Amino acid sequence: MLTLTSFIETGPTGQPIFNFDMFREQVVAGFDEAVATMGLTADHPVAREFAAELLRVVSEATHQMPTVVEKRPESLECDVVRFQNNKEKWVALVGLLDGQPYEIFTGLQDDDEGIILPKSVTKGHIVKHVNADGTKRYDFQFQNKRGYKTTVEGLSEKFNPEYWNYAKLISGVLRYRMPLEHVVRLVSSLELTNETVNAWRTGVERALKKYITPADDAATAEPQADSSLLFANV
């Protein structure tokens, strides 16, 4: 007998992940069997009503069972996202876990209140260090054009403390796997009085929106009473 634990596998980082594709295939197979047992066709009103309810349950199950990894790995892959607001150049370092945003660091691209990275740098790693006194430090590592590893130490010291604190808040909801479209809404709803911080907020929205996929939108959409939708993504 299959249970929800039957669909849990080990991810690239060794953390358990839920295999949504396998789960969907089993749901479709179960739907076919149930409809056939009742002697109905897929477009029968009863079958369509059954399909709509099944879609609702599947949507809730797959959307509400994200993998939460509270213990951050020592090193995370990172995307470098550049944007411009109010004629200022900004950079966002988006730490990824299993390909999904897990944390974000943002700031100006300058020597005084941020960092300057070569334009060729689009990826790297964010490495967490725990000092002897228990304090934490995050470094950004990347390879330059010659293949040499370059490290920017102490991201928290490189960026404005106000941006750093807001970024910690956003990273917190990302780590607990709040759906990205909701994270973007949360960021856009922040009521900030400082014009510069509002520009930062817009940049964070842009940085995170690039990770929202059509599947994310479908997961939060209201299911339609059409059995054919069960087969749309199989």
Side-chain angles (χ1 to χ4, degrees), residues 206-231:
R206 293 176 182 173
L208 293 178
K209 278 182 179 179
K210 64 173 290 188
Y211 297 98
I212 297 178
T213 66
D216 294 324
D217 293 331
T220 55
E222 289 295 326
Q224 302 296 316
D226 186 349
S227 59
S228 64
L229 291 178
L230 279 173
F231 309 94

Side-chain angles (χ1 to χ4, degrees), residues 48-205:
R48 291 167 63 87
E49 183 178 351
F50 176 39
E53 179 62 16
L54 198 56
L55 269 173
R56 184 188 65 78
V57 173
V58 170
S59 178
E60 288 183 358
T62 57
H63 193 60
Q64 294 179 6
M65 293 182 60
T67 301
V68 176
V69 180
E70 294 191 41
K71 184 174 175 57
R72 183 197 188 277
E74 180 180 324
S75 177
L76 287 178
E77 292 184 0
C78 168
D79 282 343
V80 178
V81 182
R82 296 174 175 83
F83 53 93
Q84 184 166 320
N85 278 301
N86 292 343
K87 299 181 180 181
E88 294 178 328
K89 294 182 179 180
W90 292 59
V91 62
L93 305 178
V94 184
L96 306 174
L97 181 65
D98 295 330
Q100 292 296 310
Y102 185 78
E103 63 188 10
I104 185 168
F105 301 85
T106 61
L108 291 167
Q109 292 190 80
D110 64 35
D111 286 328
D112 294 328
E113 293 189 63
I115 59 176
I116 293 181
L117 299 173
K119 292 182 179 179
S120 60
V121 176
T122 59
K123 293 184 179 295
H125 287 82
I126 299 176
V127 182
K128 176 182 176 181
H129 297 278
V130 179
N131 302 317
D133 60 359
T135 59
K136 302 170 185 176
R137 189 187 84 227
Y138 294 88
D139 298 342
F140 176 61
Q141 292 182 345
F142 64 93
Q143 282 190 340
N144 60 25
K145 286 186 176 181
R146 297 184 179 181
Y148 292 108
K149 182 186 294 184
T150 303
T151 301
V152 178
E153 296 186 349
L155 291 178
S156 61
E157 303 300 324
K158 296 290 184 181
F159 295 145
N160 182 296
E162 188 169 9
Y163 308 139
W164 175 259
N165 288 329
Y166 281 123
K168 284 174 64 177
L169 168 65
I170 297 169
S171 295
V173 295
L174 287 174
R175 290 180 183 183
Y176 280 93
R177 291 307 197 221
M178 176 187 282
L180 280 178
E181 62 272 22
H182 295 326
V183 177
V184 171
R185 290 176 194 168
L186 171 65
V187 174
S188 65
S189 68
L190 292 174
E191 297 182 2
L192 308 175
T193 56
N194 184 292
E195 182 179 350
T196 301
V197 183
N198 274 315
W200 165 88
R201 181 191 65 185
T202 303
V204 172
E205 287 182 55

Side-chain angles (χ1 to χ4, degrees), residues 16-38:
I17 60 174
F18 191 82
N19 190 324
F20 296 129
D21 292 333
M22 185 189 302
F23 180 62
R24 190 183 296 111
E25 289 175 4
Q26 291 296 323
V27 169
V28 171
F31 174 79
D32 286 340
E33 183 178 349
V35 170
T37 301
M38 291 186 290

